Amino acid sequence: MGLFNKKATNVVTEEPEQKEELSPFEKSEQQVVDFYSDFNDERLFTIHLVFENGTEYDLSGQTKKNVGWVVAHKNSGTEGIFQYAVKDGFGIGIDLRKVIILTVKPEETSKDEEDAA
């Protein structure tokens, strides 16, 4: 009769969560995004590109995530990227091998203008 008097126990073994290891590109992208952690997620930036031939181009209205994406592509040696603005229907292909200077600057907001006045 001892069989029926045993207390049933459920043993649930939890497997430790394994964090997925980031690729070198993802690590670079995350590092750049982390550099801008002092800015809120809605803040927009302008990426200023200077090419070997002296041509300059601004990618304005970029989020922290977009900045991280572009810089990570440059850091990882990607040959080129394509940026597409949905609302404008405007796309641009950029040969990152020809970019010699890449700078990022926060865009002015109406709050910044009020603080300056």
Side-chain angles (χ1 to χ4, degrees):
M1 300 264 185
L3 291 176
F4 298 108
N5 294 331
K6 275 194 169 181
K7 185 177 180 181
T9 58
N10 287 335
V11 178
V12 178
T13 57
E14 292 184 30
E15 293 182 24
E17 288 185 36
Q18 292 182 358
K19 289 187 179 179
E20 216 174 289
E21 186 154 334
L22 299 176
S23 69
F25 173 82
E26 291 168 325
K27 285 179 185 176
S28 179
E29 181 180 30
Q30 187 59 51
Q31 184 179 29
V32 173
V33 171
D34 289 346
F35 289 150
Y36 293 95
S37 63
D38 290 347
F39 295 96
N40 69 37
D41 290 340
E42 286 75 39
R43 188 65 183 257
L44 298 178
F45 300 86
T46 297
I47 302 171
H48 182 75
L49 305 170
V50 179
F51 295 87
E52 289 176 344
N53 66 1
T55 302
E56 297 183 24
Y57 187 77
D58 284 335
L59 293 170
S60 57
Q62 303 299 311
T63 64
K64 288 192 287 190
K65 183 80 172 151
N66 289 350
V67 169
W69 183 82
V70 170
V71 174
H73 273 293
K74 178 66 176 159
N75 290 346
S76 66
T78 302
E79 293 181 0
I81 59 171
F82 185 75
Q83 278 272 319
Y84 180 73
V86 176
K87 62 182 170 187
D88 298 334
F90 178 74
I92 180 169
I94 300 171
D95 185 349
L96 291 174
R97 296 170 299 177
K98 305 292 183 185
V99 174
I100 58 172
I101 300 172
L102 184 151
T103 56
V104 178
K105 181 175 119 182
E107 293 183 358
E108 297 265 335
T109 64
S110 56
K111 184 178 184 294
D112 292 335
E113 292 168 3
E114 289 171 11
D115 290 345

